Amino acid sequence: MTVSNDDELAGLTRIGRIVADTLEVMGRAIEPGTTARELDRIGRAFMEAAGARSAPEDGLCLSRGDLHQRQRGNRARHPG
């Protein structure tokens, strides 16, 4: 990605903050029994309220420490 001007940089900075905040909100929602679908709904709602949208039609794609998730759907998270 190439940033060509200050407006593009400002846009990237804004979306970076929205993504970071979304991950934080989703991380706070994780508890035993929470499904990937529930986390997706929480994240999507937060992003949309902030004026952003997720690119994938079928859900958010996560890969970050306590939010690490590879499979979508109704599979529940378990402690440990």
Side-chain angles (χ1 to χ4, degrees):
M1 173 177 286
T2 302
V3 178
S4 301
N5 57 52
D6 289 342
D7 288 339
E8 290 178 358
L9 180 59
L12 287 171
T13 301
R14 181 171 180 265
I15 194 61
R17 174 50 35 209
I18 291 170
V19 169
D21 291 345
T22 301
L23 289 171
E24 183 177 330
V25 166
M26 293 171 75
R28 287 194 309 255
I30 293 174
E31 57 185 47
T34 303
T35 65
R37 191 170 310 276
E38 290 167 324
L39 290 176
D40 180 67
R41 182 187 53 76
I42 291 164
R44 186 175 297 280
F46 185 85
M47 289 182 77
E48 288 175 358
R53 62 184 165 82
S54 175
E57 291 291 324
D58 65 342
L60 303 175
C61 179
L62 306 175
S63 181
R64 176 181 178 247
D66 57 0
L67 293 181
H68 184 72
Q69 173 216 302
R70 295 182 197 179
Q71 295 184 354
R72 303 231 351 98
N74 287 318
R75 196 171 98 184
R77 305 286 296 176
H78 298 287

